[in-house]
């Protein structure tokens, strides 16, 4: 806390931190080829190794029969240093949601959440160890920031999730599924503020959509990047030339409350964040999502729904969609989610003003895997 008694933001750690060793996923295919040449091997081996990792989801040398037997161990050690080690896995009773706790090379821990829906499989990924934004209703924000995750650490969450899916960890196909054999959708709504780790997150997004075997060959339209409102970084997003979905975690339309709920609002006000979100839409044509955690007697008043709708409509029509999210409980918090009747009223007021609004279907609450609950606890 600062001298004024308010939460302090952490945009960077105070001590120097070490990043993990370079991994194949940190590199472009051309850079991988150069690395293999340094090891005295022909460049085509880089493509073979990339196929094993990005398409077969393996780093097991015993499964790489197309590589020289006498050098497999050496190649795997050079290309695929261990990034994430599974510490714990929790699943919901229906088996459709799994929360993973990962230990990183330096002992830091992060979590990711795998969710099966009809016709798609979504992974909520982390981008930082902890978070420096200090939002008081979020368990991750209360843990503080340790360091940024590397591009490969972000991507390895997907690779390991795909391996679990391939092994039947989500229970196989269910009625209504269209044979998704891997993660199809990504949401950067795990631990950390993605735009505070801009370069590594964007490299990871590009690697997700790069054609296999350079990357995962995913659809950019199925990737959502979320932020609490780092305005300069929002303005850079449109220049990435990728049609991913941008989501602004607003949580209050007025600065008086948002200053309390989202400390970064002391630097960039609500209207500045909304303006930047609209600029993203204007440049890309991609509709923006507004995330809004409904907190009982805190931000769920009828007048705040009206104010939010008016502010969004003032920028134009058809550019935005609002996702109210019932607040998920966190340890020691005195706040709770809005009453169902209040939630319905709030949505109805937005819709009455022409704002498309959909209540978020949150998953994993019973395993502390829902929005705002990730704390990387080993307990």
């Amino acid at each position: 806390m600062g001298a004024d008694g308010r939460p302090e933001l952490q945009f960077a750690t105070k001590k120097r931190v070490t990043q993990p060793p370079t991994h194949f996923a940190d590199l472009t295919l051309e850079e991988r080829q150069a690395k293999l040449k340094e090891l005295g091997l022909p460049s085509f081996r880089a493509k073979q190794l990339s196929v094993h990792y990005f398409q077969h989801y393996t780093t097991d040398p015993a499964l790489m029969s197309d590589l020289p037997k006498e050098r497999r161990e050496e190649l795997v050690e050079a290309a695929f240093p261990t990034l994430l080690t599974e510490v714990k896995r929790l699943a919901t009773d229906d088996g459709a949601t799994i929360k993973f706790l990962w230990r990183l090379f330096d002992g830091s821990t992060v979590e990711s959440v795998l969710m099966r829906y009809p016709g798609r499989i979504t992974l909520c990924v982390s981008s930082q160890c902890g978070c420096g934004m200090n939002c008081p209703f979020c368990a991750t924000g209360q843990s503080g920031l340790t360091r940024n995750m590397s591009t490969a650490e972000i991507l390895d969450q997907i690779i390991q999730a795909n391996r679990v899916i391939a092994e039947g960890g989500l229970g196989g196909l269910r009625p209504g599924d269209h044979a998704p054999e891997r993660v199809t959708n990504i949401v950067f709504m795990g631990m950390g503020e993605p735009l505070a780790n801009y370069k590594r997150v964007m490299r990871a997004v590009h690697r997700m959509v790069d054609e296999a075997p350079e990357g995962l060959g995913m659809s950019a339209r199925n990737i959502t990047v979320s932020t609490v409102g780092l305005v300069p970084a929002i303005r850079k997003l449109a220049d990435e030339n990728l049609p991913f979905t941008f989501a602004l975690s607003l949580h209050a339309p007025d600065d008086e409350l948002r200053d309390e709920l989202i400390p970064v609002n002391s630097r960039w006000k609500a209207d500045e964040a909304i303006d930047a979100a609209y600029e993203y839409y204007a440049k890309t044509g991609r509709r923006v999502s507004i995330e809004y955690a409904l907190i009982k007697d805190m931000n769920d008043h009828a007048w705040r729904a009206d104010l939010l709708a008016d502010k969004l409509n003032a920028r134009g029509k058809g550019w935005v969609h609002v996702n109210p999210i019932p607040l998920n409980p966190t340890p020691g918090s005195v706040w709770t989610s809005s009453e169902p009747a209040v939630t319905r009223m709030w949505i109805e007021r937005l819709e009455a003003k022409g704002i498309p609004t959909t209540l978020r279907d949150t998953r994993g609450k019973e395993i502390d895997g829902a929005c705002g609950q990730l704390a990387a606890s080993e307990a």
Side-chain angles (χ1 to χ4, degrees), residues 13 26 40 179-180 247 266 287 298 321 333 347:
T13 51
D26 288 310
S266 62
R287 189 171 69 163
M298 179 65 69
H321 180 274
S333 175
I347 293 173

Side-chain angles (χ1 to χ4, degrees), residues 43-292:
S43 60
F44 73 85
R45 297 295 185 193
K47 184 174 181 180
Q48 291 176 315
L49 283 165
S50 298
V51 167
H52 285 298
Y53 183 72
F54 284 104
Q55 293 181 262
H56 300 157
Y57 320 128
T58 186
T59 57
D60 184 352
L63 300 177
M64 301 180 183
S65 58
D66 55 348
L67 297 174
K69 187 174 183 180
E70 68 278 5
R71 300 202 65 179
R72 286 181 205 164
E73 297 279 354
E74 175 196 0
L75 284 172
V76 167
E77 184 176 346
F80 307 119
T82 300
L83 298 179
L84 275 64
T85 301
E86 185 176 337
V87 176
K88 186 168 61 174
R89 184 187 304 188
L90 295 175
T92 53
D93 290 342
D94 63 1
T97 301
I98 300 173
K99 182 176 76 167
F100 299 96
L101 176 65
W102 309 106
R103 179 169 287 113
L104 309 185
F105 84 104
D106 58 355
S108 301
T109 53
V110 298
E111 292 179 322
S112 51
V113 183
L114 184 63
M115 298 162 282
R116 178 186 286 281
Y117 295 90
R120 73 183 192 276
I121 296 177
T122 297
L123 183 68
C124 178
V125 298
S126 292
S127 56
Q128 293 181 305
C129 304
C131 183
M133 298 298 101
N134 215 346
C135 302
F137 56 89
C138 175
T140 310
Q142 299 310 295
S143 65
L145 176 65
T146 301
R147 67 171 173 86
N148 288 326
M149 295 178 68
S150 71
T151 294
E153 286 175 322
I154 295 168
L155 290 164
D156 203 47
Q157 296 171 76
I158 309 172
I159 297 297
Q160 299 225 35
N162 281 337
R163 190 179 302 147
V164 168
I165 295 166
E167 294 169 352
L170 271 181
L173 297 180
R174 300 184 181 184
D177 287 344
H178 303 293
E181 299 174 344
R182 62 174 189 164
V183 171
T184 58
N185 293 63
I186 297 293
V187 290
F188 277 90
M189 297 180 183
M191 300 179 69
E193 161 54 55
L195 297 194
N197 188 16
Y198 188 93
K199 288 183 179 179
R200 296 177 183 89
V201 166
M202 285 300 111
R203 287 193 197 111
V205 171
H206 280 273
R207 199 75 71 244
M208 290 172 198
V209 303
D210 285 342
E211 290 297 325
E214 183 163 5
L216 284 159
M218 301 180 71
S219 169
R221 297 180 186 278
N222 293 338
I223 298 170
T224 298
V225 179
S226 176
T227 179
V228 294
L230 276 60
V231 168
I234 295 172
R235 293 195 169 118
K236 291 169 61 178
L237 286 176
D239 297 327
E240 295 295 334
N241 295 317
L242 288 174
F244 53 78
T245 297
F246 168 64
L248 172 63
S249 295
L250 193 65
H251 306 311
D254 56 304
D255 289 328
E256 182 180 5
L257 178 59
R258 198 167 193 266
D259 282 348
E260 300 299 324
L261 294 181
I262 311 290
V264 78
N265 202 69
S266 62
R267 206 175 269 203
W268 298 290
K269 296 302 183 183
D271 281 334
E272 293 178 85
I274 296 171
D275 282 341
Y278 179 76
E279 288 169 19
Y280 177 83
Y281 162 79
K283 288 182 179 179
T284 66
R286 296 284 295 161
R287 189 171 69 163
V288 170
S289 289
I290 299 291
E291 312 293 322
Y292 198 104

